[in-house]
Structures are given as C-alpha cells and as structure tokens.
Amino acid sequence: MPTGLFVAHPLTGDEIEIWVGNYVLMSYGDGAVMGVPAHDERDFAFARKYGLPIKQVIAIPGETFSTDAFQPWYEDKTRGQCVNSGKYDGLAYEAAVDAIAADLAAKGLGEKKITYRLRDWGVSRQRYWGTPIPIVHCPACGTFRFRRVTCPSCCRRTACPKAPAIRSPSARIS
C-alpha cells in the first residue's frame, strides 16, 4: 500500500514513493528494500499489480523488453549492459555494481560487503549431509553419539561424575 511518503534516490536525487508490502521474504533481512521491478520477478509482479512504473535498466542485445510479462532473461546478470542509468550506461552488471558502490561510499551512504548468515549455512549443511547427529564430548567418557536409550549413565546428569571438576572463570574471583 502506498504510504504517501517519498524519499530521494541516493544517487540521482529522484523522488521515490515508499510503499509497504508483505511480499518481501522474511528471511531476507531487515530494513528497507528498494525494488527494481524490471529485473526481479517478485518486484515485477508487485509493480504490475499496483500500477507502478517499470523501468528497464539492463539490456541484452537481441532481446526485446516488455512490461506485459516477465521474461527469465530480465534477471540475467551475465550478458547485459546498463541502460537508462545515467553515467552507468554501457557498463556490464559487475562493473556497474562496483561503480555504484564506489559512488555510495564516496558520499558516505554505504559500502560494498558480503554478509554471511548462520541460517544460510545451516540449511545448506542439512541439504548436503542430512540432519545433524548429536555428539556428546565428555572429558572422562570420550566422544559418542547421543541416543537416550544407550547413553552412558554419566551423561543422563547435568555434570559427569567421572570428569574432573571444571571451575568457572568467575570462581577465581576472591
């Protein structure tokens, strides 16, 4: 839904209307998302549904862009060049990302970085190896697979009676 609020585009100064929608993936992160409806299928569908402008900013030779229906090549970041992008026109995708990141950094508005999320690793790990197998590491009994039925008696308690006493670092405070 439109909020009636507007912000200035960080590089061009153009006025951009702020919309609120529930189509953004919860796992994407937090903060604001600036949609690029011509080159993202979800953004394209949102823009078509609500009558928002769809501006092509990547062109691929031999392909014809249309706002009538989304085409898979619209998301292709390997073959295209920037169009309708001011001083970035003619740049390949990677070169444009680097140039835009440099311009934002020069204005103190952002920096280029990679963000790793633990949830990304956990999901891919399970797809590759399967669900995790719980392993117990006991200094006295050794390492073994945790199964309630066959678990050694010492590991049914919160502390292993066979293991040497481990003092907390705070226990040194007198």
Side-chain angles (χ1 to χ4, degrees):
M1 74 173 15
T3 63
L5 302 172
F6 294 82
V7 295
H9 187 287
L11 296 173
T12 65
D14 293 345
E15 194 174 68
I16 301 172
E17 187 174 11
I18 298 175
W19 280 64
V20 176
N22 65 355
Y23 86 111
V24 177
L25 299 176
M26 293 301 295
S27 62
Y28 186 80
D30 57 7
V33 175
M34 184 172 170
V36 183
H39 303 287
D40 179 90
E41 190 169 7
R42 289 184 317 262
D43 293 349
F44 188 94
F46 185 90
R48 288 209 12 115
K49 181 176 180 178
Y50 295 103
L52 300 174
I54 299 174
K55 180 180 176 182
Q56 179 187 16
V57 293
I58 302 285
I60 294 178
E63 300 285 1
T64 304
F65 183 84
S66 170
T67 59
D68 293 336
F70 188 83
Q71 300 297 320
W73 72 264
Y74 294 175
E75 292 180 313
D76 188 343
K77 297 175 182 171
T78 59
R79 300 183 297 149
Q81 291 185 334
C82 290
V83 294
N84 303 318
S85 301
K87 73 180 207 173
Y88 309 108
D89 282 355
L91 293 177
Y93 174 79
E94 287 296 329
V97 168
D98 292 339
I100 291 167
D103 288 348
L104 289 171
K107 291 183 172 201
L109 297 174
E111 64 181 3
K112 188 175 176 183
K113 68 179 183 176
I114 297 172
T115 303
Y116 296 98
R117 295 179 177 91
L118 185 58
R119 66 177 172 257
D120 297 339
W121 177 86
V123 170
S124 63
R125 184 220 169 274
Q126 286 187 356
R127 284 188 189 142
Y128 189 77
W129 287 301
T131 53
I133 299 168
I135 304 294
V136 176
H137 301 278
C138 175
C141 303
T143 303
F144 55 91
R145 183 175 171 191
F146 180 84
R147 285 187 271 164
R148 268 196 204 281
V149 179
T150 59
C151 182
S153 62
C154 70
C155 293
R156 290 190 186 140
R157 301 184 183 119
T158 56
C160 176
K162 299 177 187 175
I166 300 173
R167 295 183 57 181
S168 159
S170 61
R172 287 186 236 149
I173 300 172
S174 320

